[in-house]
Amino acid sequence: MHRDRSLAALASRVDPWDIAVIGGGATGVGIAVDAASRGYAVCLLEQADFGKGTSSRSTKLVHGGVRYLQQGNIALVMEALKERGILRQNAPHLVHDLAFVVPNYAWWETPFYGIGMKVYDLLAGKYGFKKSHLLSKDEVLRRIPTLEQEGLRGGVLYYDGQFDDARLLIDLAQTAEDHGGVLLNYARVSGFSHDDEGFVDGLSFHDEESGAEHALWARCVVNATGAFCDAVRKLDDPAAAPVIAPSQGVHLVLERAFLPGDAAIMVPRTSDGRVMFAIPWHGHALVGTTDTALDGVTLEPRATAAEIDFLLDTASQYLSRQPTRADILSVFTGIRPLIKAGTASTAALSREHTILVAQSGLITIAGGKWTTYRKMAEDCVDHAATIGRLEERECVTKTLKISGSPAPGHETGGMPADDLAYYGSNADGIRALIVEQPQWGEPLDAALPICGAQVIWAARREMARTVEDVLARRTRALFLNARAARRMAGDVAQLLAGELGRDAAWQAGQVGAFDRLAAGYLPA
C-alpha cells in the first residue's frame, strides 16, 4: 500500500465508485475486502490512521463470547464461533488457539462452569477448537503457577482464539488493495453530495496531510465509522437521532512474569458483572477489561484512576503476585460502539450489529465486534448492492486467504514465535531489508524485539505516515511498553523521515507529539 498511489487513483477516477466506505477500522476495511473480492469498484477513506480507534484497542481475542452464552444469546454465540473458525483458517499467521482456565474457588463453580463450557463446545460444531475439560487444583497450578492458591478447588479448561488486531487490520487493508480496492488514511470526510431526488451520490474529503479538498462520486456510500457513526450520519441529516451508546474498556499490560504459564485466566463474573481476562500476548501479560458508559467519544480515550484500580484489585484476587501501578507497562483504552437499547446498562447491551439505511440511501453499519467483522461486511455489501443497484455477486470471503497467510502446508497453528512471525509470509520482505542493510535488523530498544526494518517496511508497504502509526499499530510498542516506545521514537522518526522525505523539524515535531501521546499510556 502506498498513500500517493491511492490518492492519485481517487483523483483520477471519472466514473462513480460502486461503493465508497467511510471508516478504516475492522468493519470498514472488512467491507472493502468483501466488495473488492466480489469485483466491485470500492474506495475507503479513514480520517486518521487505519485502526486508530477501537479496532487496535481490543482484548486481542477472537472468541465466541462466553459472556453472551450467559446472557442466553445463543444465535450470537453460534455466529461468533463460526466466524472464529473461518478467521483462523484464513489468517493462521495471526489467529491461534489459546487455552483458558476458569479457576474455581467455590464448590458450585466447577460443575456450573463445566456444563456451560460443554454447551460452548457443542455450539462450536465443526469450527470447534480443542474440547474443554475439568482440571484438578494441581492441574490448574501447572497451567498457571502464579494463580492465587488459597481456597482454590480446581478449574475448567477451554480453548478460544487470540490475535493481533492492528496487524490483522493492516493485512486486511492489503488484501482489499490486492483485489483492486483503493484505501486512503488521513482523509476526513467533510460532507455529502445529493442528486435531484435527495439520494447521496458522492462525498467530499479533506486530505489531512496536504490540506487539499477532494470530491468523489459513488453509487452507494457506507458509514462504517464505529463509535463516530452518529457524527457522520449528522453530516447527511442534521436531525438524525443518535444510535450509539458508547462505553469504554481499559486494559493493563504487565510483565510476562505475572502470567508465565501457557494459559490465560478467565474470570466469568467480576464485581461489575463483566468477564475479566488475563492473557499472554506478545511476551507480556494483558489484563482487561472494564465497562464505563461515556457521554462522548474521542480518538484517544483515557483510563480513569478508578478503572485502573478496579483492574489491579480484581487481578490481585487471582494472582499470587499482586500487581501495582509501578508494574504497569502500558494502559490502553478502547470505545465500544454499542447500539442503544432503552435504559439498559452498557454491560448488558448486545454486540450484534445493526444496518441502518437513511432516507438519502446512506448506509450505516454499527455495533458488532472484531470476531464477526467478516459476516458484518457480507451483510453490508449485500445491502449496498441493493441500494446502489449493482449487479448481484456472491460473497467469497469465507475461504479468502488474508495477506500474509502462509502457503498451504506451511501453517504453524501456534502462538507466533517472534515479532516477525506476526507478518506471516510478508516477513520475507522484512528479512530481505535486513540483508540489504544489516543495521536495520538491530532492536530499537532492548525491552522490545522491534527492529528498523519493520519501520522501513511500514513506510514503504503499509502506508505508515507518523511515528505513532509505526509504534502503536504497525508494531505494538506503545501498547506493550510505553516507556520503551518513547525511547524508540527518535530512531523511528529518523528512519521515517528518510523514507517520506521529511526534514529535521518534522522529526522533532513527531518525537514531541509521540512523547505527549505516550504519556497518556502510563498511569498518573
Side-chain angles (χ1 to χ4, degrees), residues 162-203:
Q162 185 181 36
F163 77 138
D164 184 310
D165 47 13
R167 287 298 327 158
L168 177 58
L169 186 66
I170 293 302
D171 284 349
L172 284 169
Q174 183 63 64
T175 305
E177 185 176 271
D178 289 345
H179 286 81
V182 176
L183 296 82
L184 187 69
N185 55 2
Y186 296 101
R188 176 177 52 83
V189 170
S190 52
F192 294 104
S193 60
H194 299 80
D195 64 18
D196 293 339
E197 297 180 341
F199 289 99
V200 169
D201 63 1
L203 56 81

Side-chain angles (χ1 to χ4, degrees), residues 38-55:
R38 294 195 204 193
Y40 295 132
V42 59
C43 64
L44 179 147
L45 304 172
E46 161 56 41
Q47 65 170 330
D49 183 36
F50 305 117
K52 164 69 176 178
T54 302
S55 295

Side-chain angles (χ1 to χ4, degrees), residues 18-346:
D18 290 332
I19 302 173
V21 183
I22 310 169
T27 306
V29 174
I31 291 167
V33 170
D34 186 294
S37 61
R38 294 195 204 193
Y40 295 132
V42 59
C43 64
L44 179 147
L45 304 172
E46 161 56 41
Q47 65 170 330
D49 183 36
F50 305 117
K52 164 69 176 178
T54 302
S55 295
S56 64
R57 302 164 184 268
S58 74
T59 312
K60 321 307 177 192
L61 299 178
V62 181
H63 61 118
V66 175
R67 171 178 159 219
Y68 315 122
L69 185 62
Q70 291 177 328
Q71 295 173 348
N73 194 338
I74 302 301
L76 179 59
V77 173
M78 291 182 68
E79 178 179 90
L81 288 168
K82 178 181 179 181
E83 292 301 318
R84 179 189 71 174
I86 291 173
L87 187 51
R88 185 180 59 170
Q89 291 173 5
N90 292 337
H93 60 302
L94 284 170
V95 182
H96 60 269
D97 295 14
L98 181 63
F100 286 79
V101 171
V102 184
N104 301 152
Y105 291 88
W107 67 267
W108 55 269
E109 288 181 320
T110 298
F112 180 80
Y113 294 120
I115 293 170
M117 291 309 169
K118 290 302 179 185
V119 175
Y120 198 63
D121 291 342
L122 181 64
L123 293 175
K126 68 177 182 178
Y127 292 102
F129 286 29
K130 297 176 184 177
K131 300 297 184 182
S132 65
H133 58 270
L134 302 181
L135 299 176
S136 67
K137 176 181 177 179
D138 288 343
E139 289 172 326
V140 169
L141 291 174
R142 277 198 295 273
R143 289 281 189 173
I144 307 176
T146 51
L147 196 65
E148 175 58 55
Q149 297 187 38
E150 185 176 351
L152 181 65
R153 292 172 174 266
V156 178
L157 180 73
Y158 76 101
Y159 291 85
D160 231 326
Q162 185 181 36
F163 77 138
D164 184 310
D165 47 13
R167 287 298 327 158
L168 177 58
L169 186 66
I170 293 302
D171 284 349
L172 284 169
Q174 183 63 64
T175 305
E177 185 176 271
D178 289 345
H179 286 81
V182 176
L183 296 82
L184 187 69
N185 55 2
Y186 296 101
R188 176 177 52 83
V189 170
S190 52
F192 294 104
S193 60
H194 299 80
D195 64 18
D196 293 339
E197 297 180 341
F199 289 99
V200 169
D201 63 1
L203 56 81
S204 57
F205 68 92
H206 180 81
D207 183 347
E208 297 292 318
E209 287 197 356
S210 69
E213 293 287 338
H214 300 272
L216 58 83
W217 308 104
R219 295 182 174 87
C220 181
V221 178
V222 176
N223 170 16
T225 55
F228 298 90
C229 77
D230 285 331
V232 174
R233 291 172 61 241
K234 285 183 178 295
L235 284 178
D236 172 56
D237 176 10
V243 297
I244 296 296
S247 78
Q248 74 175 25
V250 174
H251 304 80
L252 308 181
V253 178
L254 309 169
E255 291 180 353
R256 186 74 162 91
F258 283 93
L259 194 67
D262 62 352
I265 301 172
M266 194 276 274
V267 178
R269 189 169 183 83
T270 63
S271 59
D272 72 344
R274 286 195 56 77
V275 170
M276 194 196 82
F277 297 99
I279 64 174
W281 187 64
H282 275 287
H284 294 71
L286 186 153
V287 177
T289 179
T290 60
D291 195 304
T292 306
L294 299 174
D295 294 326
V297 296
T298 173
L299 277 171
E300 276 297 335
R302 290 284 179 251
T304 66
E307 288 173 312
I308 294 173
D309 289 341
F310 170 79
L311 288 176
L312 289 173
D313 291 345
T314 305
S316 294
Q317 296 172 30
Y318 292 89
L319 298 175
S320 58
R321 178 185 170 191
Q322 299 185 352
T324 68
R325 266 178 157 68
D327 296 309
I328 297 173
L329 300 177
S330 187
V331 181
F332 66 89
T333 306
I335 297 178
R336 302 180 188 89
L338 304 174
I339 305 298
K340 285 180 178 289
T343 59
S345 70
T346 53

